[in-house]
Amino acid sequence: MCGEEWRLTTSETERVNAAVQRLRRAGLRNTAARRGVLDQLAHAVGGRGHLSVSELHHALLARGVVVELSTVHRVLRQLVELGIAHTVPVGRTTTFGLADDIHHHAVCGTCGDMRQLPAEAVAASVAAARAVGIDTDQSGHPNGVVVYGRCVRCRTTDR
Ligand SMILES: [Zn+2]
Ligand SMILES: [Zn+2]
């Protein structure tokens, strides 16, 4: 990761810019820490989708954005409060991802690997939950549908 050329794709940049505008509307400046966290979260969308606080912290330091761990925590809390990011627990770790599109999550309960699931993929589960009075709130706290299982890598190394 260190020294690696690090560039956002066009769609990642669009996500970050939209989030920065929401921060500005909430009266929050586009600081290096906020921008760095948003860059990492946008970059993660195409892969695992979510990152833990320490993963984000390490990634920022590797890119030369020198911030305290406590700052990363504070930035993430603000993003979650504004509905820009949301959280999913993986074991005892809280992971953070951008909440700019409606998605759900499939998690490997063994290694914590994660993939985002499109809303259509779990529409029936969401409708069933709503029918029994549980609404899946997409912003803020643990929400939506989380499918736990084991990833290909863990299944093969386990044999
Ligand atoms: Zn997510
Ligand atoms: Zn796994």
Side-chain angles (χ1 to χ4, degrees), residues 108 110-113 150-151 153-154:
C108 173
T110 305
C111 72
D113 197 8
R150 279 205 307 160
C151 71
R153 212 179 42 215
C154 288

Side-chain angles (χ1 to χ4, degrees), residues 50 86 88 97-98 103 105 116:
H50 280 227
H86 65 190
V88 168
L98 282 187
H103 66 263
H105 308 87
Q116 294 188 351

Side-chain angles (χ1 to χ4, degrees), residues 10-11 13 23 34 39 50 101 105 108 117 119 123 133 135 138 151:
T10 310
S11 63
T13 305
L23 284 174
R34 289 189 185 122
D39 282 352
H50 280 227
D101 67 338
H105 308 87
C108 173
L117 302 174
D135 221 328
Q138 281 298 319
C151 71

Side-chain angles (χ1 to χ4, degrees), residues 44-63:
V45 168
R48 257 170 62 202
H50 280 227
L51 296 167
S52 70
V53 178
S54 63
E55 284 170 336
L56 278 163
H57 189 221
H58 283 127
L60 290 179
L61 294 179
R63 287 176 56 202

